[in-house]
Amino acid sequence: MAALALITGGQKGIGLGIARKLVAADFQVALASSSAPDAQSVREALAKLGSGARYYQHDLRATDNIAALLERVEAEQGPLRTLIVNAGVASPQRVDMLKLDRDAFDLVMDVNLKGSFFLAQAVARRWCDTDADIYRSIVFITSVSATMVSVERAEYCISKAAAAMMAQLYAARLAAEGIGVFDIRPGIIATDMTAAVTDKYDPIIKAGKVPARRWGRPDDIANAVLPLVQGQLTFANGTVLSVDGGLSIHRL
């Protein structure tokens, strides 16, 4: 039976790039997001991924629904081997942190941190309660914003810094169980989330803010994920990979 990966936010952007890479490597994928099953992005993703993919509507903020999600996924596709914690929301508005309102803060924290934490917790509990000789892994897709400050996106930066610590905590807790946990930190990636700031970032990237002098692509992230979930770095638990074209390199 093909290995099964659950990918949150897998219907578009980075998540879809990861899903396509895994399907090409003979994984099955379960995509989960808050989008309606008949949404255009979902229909297009499933068409691209073929018979090895299924979609499950799940809002990460609905932590009470996690058990039902996992039960449905495993009933329909078999035992879960990999969790890709990818879904996230950007700051609803880029504003001075002194003007940030509580609703925006709560939304970003509920999705990027709380919902992701409890999904990973539920998966880890199931795995720890099950004897298995197969390699299992959790990959958190965080961001270079875990360490790079943007004062107009305070809630996003805080959520990603906390998510990076979440990855380290799960890595330390699950290493003895033979479960690999990793933190991938994308830089400026061309997705729907960044489409609105293309005009802002194009000249910055070309000027060398990103040493690679190009936008990142979902495939760049997917290429980093694949060896982690295939078990090629089993003794590298807790590793952080900055996939950002050199953006986060400290320079004078």
Side-chain angles (χ1 to χ4, degrees), residues 3-214:
L4 173 62
L6 172 59
I7 307 172
T8 63
Q11 83 286 7
K12 62 181 180 179
I14 290 173
L16 179 55
I18 295 170
R20 295 182 75 170
K21 181 67 66 174
L22 295 190
V23 166
D26 296 325
F27 277 74
Q28 287 190 67
V29 295
L31 314 180
S33 85
S34 59
S35 297
D38 61 351
Q40 183 176 350
S41 61
V42 174
R43 290 187 283 106
E44 290 178 351
L46 292 176
K48 291 175 181 176
L49 296 170
S51 60
R54 295 194 185 186
Y55 179 76
Y56 304 85
Q57 187 173 15
H58 174 72
D59 188 332
L60 277 172
R61 294 172 295 179
T63 54
D64 289 344
N65 296 338
I66 290 173
L69 168 69
L70 296 179
E71 288 167 9
R72 184 181 170 200
V73 168
E74 295 201 327
E76 294 184 8
Q77 293 183 271
L80 188 63
R81 174 170 164 181
T82 291
L83 172 64
I84 310 293
V85 184
N86 165 75
V89 294
S91 299
Q93 290 184 311
R94 292 175 177 246
V95 298
D96 182 343
M97 61 186 289
L98 300 184
K99 299 178 181 178
L100 176 62
D101 66 56
R102 293 180 183 179
D103 288 343
F105 188 93
D106 288 345
L107 169 65
V108 174
M109 292 297 167
D110 283 348
V111 175
N112 296 359
L113 187 61
K114 181 179 177 181
S116 296
F117 178 89
F118 285 106
L119 176 59
Q121 182 193 69
V123 169
R125 282 176 171 173
R126 293 167 83 93
W127 285 346
C128 290
D129 289 340
T130 305
D131 291 329
D133 293 329
I134 59 171
Y135 180 68
R136 296 164 297 184
S137 60
I138 301 174
V139 180
F140 291 91
I141 308 299
T142 63
S143 171
V144 294
S145 293
T147 59
M148 300 182 74
V149 169
S150 297
V151 296
E152 75 282 3
R153 297 185 301 134
E155 73 275 46
Y156 183 79
C157 292
I158 294 169
S159 75
K160 292 301 182 178
M165 175 54 73
M166 174 169 61
Q168 295 297 296
L169 287 163
Y170 274 111
R173 173 61 181 82
L174 298 176
E177 305 287 344
I179 298 168
V181 182
F182 307 94
D183 175 3
I184 291 184
R185 299 182 185 177
I188 305 172
I189 310 297
T191 65
D192 290 348
M193 185 181 288
T194 55
V197 292
T198 297
D199 291 342
K200 174 183 177 180
Y201 281 116
D202 271 343
I204 293 173
I205 291 170
K206 290 176 182 177
K209 179 69 172 178
V210 177
R213 295 180 186 266
R214 70 167 176 86

Side-chain angles (χ1 to χ4, degrees), residues 237-250:
N237 235 36
T239 291
V240 177
L241 290 174
S242 295
V243 186
D244 61 6
L247 172 64
S248 59
I249 295 172
H250 292 286

